[in-house]
Amino acid sequence: DTFEVLNNLLVKLFNDILDVEEKALITDEFKDISVTDMHIIEAVGTEEPRTMTANLQNTRRYNGNTYYRNECTCQKGYIIVQRNPKDRRIVFATLTPKGVSAYKHHAAFHKDMIDSVMDSLNEEEAAVLTKSLNKLEDFFGQWK
């Protein structure tokens, strides 16, 4: 029945995405970090420096462990943190060149993933998929 098919598909996709992302992202060049670290690097991004709080809230899994992981990515040379000279309580984070390289590697994986889906869909199918995934995201948002 449709329920079983959809449930099995979503569970399998969720697990596959986690497995494949780990295999694709954690290469020899980036073997010292985890997928969670890579998502923290993604949250810091390549734009203007943002506060640590803003960066952590931008991650998918915002909790105390995320802050600890951010410290680990700093120690591994992916992120630099600097205190605001006017208010030492405010801490900004930016990517190092090594962090920018990891960020670009992660962005390329996501681009390839989206391109592989979009290449096989026409505009109408892409709109239906986007609408369906937005509804799924709304559902998950209720559990945050």
Side-chain angles (χ1 to χ4, degrees), residues 6-143:
L6 218 72
N7 184 61
N8 290 337
L9 180 62
L10 288 173
V11 169
K12 185 175 180 340
L13 276 172
F14 178 76
N15 290 322
D16 286 351
I17 287 170
L18 293 177
D19 291 342
V20 169
E21 188 174 39
E22 184 171 1
K23 289 175 186 162
L25 295 180
I26 310 305
T27 61
D28 284 345
E29 184 179 0
F30 305 113
K31 65 184 173 208
D32 61 336
I33 58 174
S34 68
V35 172
T36 301
D37 294 331
M38 194 67 88
H39 287 153
I40 291 169
I41 290 166
E42 177 187 35
V44 171
T46 58
E47 304 297 320
E48 292 287 322
R50 289 185 295 194
T51 65
M52 294 282 279
T53 302
N55 289 323
L56 293 176
Q57 288 172 341
N58 199 28
T59 62
R60 292 177 182 89
R61 297 174 190 97
Y62 175 57
N63 59 34
N65 186 46
T66 306
Y67 184 83
Y68 169 75
R69 298 296 313 172
N70 192 57
E71 289 296 312
C72 290
T73 56
C74 292
Q75 293 168 0
K76 294 173 185 174
Y78 290 90
I79 296 173
I80 296 173
V81 295
Q82 296 175 317
R83 293 201 178 273
N84 182 327
K86 295 179 182 175
D87 185 344
R88 307 274 304 152
R89 296 172 298 172
I90 299 172
V91 180
F92 291 97
T94 55
L95 298 180
T96 65
K98 184 177 176 181
V100 170
S101 179
Y103 177 90
K104 289 179 179 178
H105 177 66
H106 188 218
F109 169 79
H110 281 269
K111 182 180 182 327
D112 290 346
M113 179 176 62
I114 298 304
D115 286 350
S116 74
V117 172
M118 298 306 288
D119 286 348
S120 63
L121 301 177
N122 62 36
E123 274 188 47
E124 186 178 315
E125 291 168 329
V128 169
L129 177 62
T130 301
K131 184 176 179 179
S132 298
L133 292 175
N134 276 324
K135 286 183 179 190
L136 190 59
E137 182 184 34
D138 290 344
F139 172 78
F140 287 139
Q142 296 173 17
W143 295 91

